[in-house]
Amino acid sequence: MKKFRLAIIFTLLLTFGLVSFANAAVVNKQDNNVQWLGHSATLITTEKGLDVFIDPWITDNPKCPVTKENINPDLILVTHNHFDHMGTDVPYFVEKNPNCIVVVHNDVVSALNEMGITEKNIVSYGMGLNYGGQAELEGIKITMVQAIHNPSAAGYIIELEDGTTIYHAGDTGIFAGMELLGNLYDIDLALLPTGSTFVMNPFQAAHSLKLLKPKKVIPIHYGTFEVLVQDATEFVKLSKKIAPNVKIEVLKPGGSLRL
Ligand SMILES: [Zn+2]
């Protein structure tokens, strides 16, 4: 009888959240998950369950293994207004999640407006960001940084709720400011374009690791088009020589890395 009474009391306490199992925090602790969806498209699911979608090119992305119906982002970060980065699915995502915020360079805002996306769903009261600008959204700090590509191309430093820091370079050649980024931010993971032609070639990308000093790197923006380097072999070979301390994570499109 006494045991029965204790069980009832314990159940009530649990119900009202007054006690929790000592290891509950451990059981519930999720890692951050970074999923590469081919080309530059990257989906980060944070430990708190937020979905951050960078370069949301799904429809017509020949390497993307999922359809847009599988994705419901809270935040969308667009590095620049080219078809293989902005894509055409942003209005679909915003309609599906009316609270979704799109982060873009302020020169790209008008293109979003033309897609029917209004102020309410665009960062900084509809004005976008420019280099050095930071937005804190849902506890995630997003800083726009330069990229050497077309005039309003950007990269992002993304500091997640638990402090994990990710650099998504967008489309870029190597630039001296990468050393500054490496000094200012303790980068846990860099996503770097390695496919040459429009972005860093494997040699530049491997050298950029020396400047950025990330703990890990995922090579991206290769193998999508015939004109790009088709795989990560050369990048891996050079990186092992040039930046041996960086852990190289070559993913298949759809593959994930937990951080
Ligand atoms: Zn591109």
Side-chain angles (χ1 to χ4, degrees):
M1 187 63 196
K2 196 176 170 195
K3 255 190 196 163
F4 181 62
R5 209 179 301 146
L6 276 174
I8 289 180
I9 291 168
F10 191 61
T11 307
L12 282 171
L13 286 170
L14 267 180
T15 307
F16 291 103
L18 297 173
V19 295
S20 58
F21 291 107
N23 64 348
V26 177
V27 172
N28 292 332
K29 168 87 173 79
Q30 301 284 325
D31 294 330
N32 299 297
N33 191 64
V34 179
Q35 186 182 24
W36 182 48
L37 293 174
H39 206 57
S40 192
T42 307
L43 181 65
I44 303 170
T45 302
T46 72
E47 56 162 5
K48 290 197 175 154
L50 286 172
D51 284 334
V52 184
F53 195 12
I54 307 142
D55 282 350
W57 183 40
I58 295 293
T59 300
D60 299 329
N61 178 344
K63 295 287 176 180
C64 183
V66 301
T67 60
K68 62 185 179 185
E69 288 76 17
N70 300 110
I71 299 173
N72 189 9
D74 299 284
L75 303 174
I76 293 174
L77 280 52
V78 177
T79 63
H80 61 297
N81 184 16
H82 284 167
F83 77 95
D84 55 329
H85 295 263
M86 177 109 104
T88 53
D89 298 327
V90 178
Y92 168 82
F93 294 129
V94 170
E95 194 182 331
K96 186 152 77 164
N97 176 5
N99 295 319
C100 178
I101 297 290
V102 186
V103 180
V104 287
H105 189 285
N106 70 348
D107 285 351
V108 182
V109 166
S110 55
L112 279 183
N113 294 154
E114 279 165 26
M115 292 170 122
I117 296 165
T118 57
E119 194 178 305
K120 170 179 158 308
N121 295 105
I122 301 172
V123 71
S124 306
Y125 305 98
M127 291 186 292
L129 295 177
N130 209 327
Y131 307 123
Q134 188 185 70
E136 184 160 352
L137 299 163
E138 312 263 7
I140 299 172
K141 291 188 193 123
I142 297 156
T143 308
M144 181 172 281
V145 297
Q146 82 178 114
I148 305 294
H149 192 62
N150 71 319
S152 57
Y156 291 102
I157 297 282
I158 306 152
E159 295 166 86
L160 304 181
E161 303 101 323
D162 65 354
T164 300
T165 300
I166 297 170
Y167 169 52
H168 191 297
D171 276 5
T172 191
I174 195 170
F175 55 93
M178 284 179 169
E179 187 175 14
L180 185 58
L181 295 179
N183 289 336
L184 292 179
Y185 302 98
D186 187 7
I187 300 170
D188 294 295
L189 171 69
L191 292 123
L192 301 179
T194 62
S196 191
T197 312
F198 310 114
V199 296
M200 292 193 283
N201 57 51
F203 173 78
Q204 282 203 351
H207 272 278
S208 77
L209 295 174
K210 267 175 48 175
L211 308 176
L212 293 160
K213 302 183 291 268
K215 293 185 185 73
K216 294 178 179 176
V217 61
I218 298 175
I220 61 172
H221 210 282
Y222 65 87
T224 334
F225 310 125
E226 259 177 58
V227 292
L228 299 179
V229 172
Q230 291 301 299
D231 60 43
T233 312
E234 184 73 0
F235 172 71
V236 172
K237 193 179 98 191
L238 292 171
S239 298
K240 280 184 178 164
K241 221 187 304 170
I242 294 164
N245 294 332
V246 181
K247 186 152 193 293
I248 307 158
E249 304 277 0
V250 178
L251 302 181
K252 288 201 178 84
S256 292
L257 173 68
R258 296 186 93 77
L259 284 177

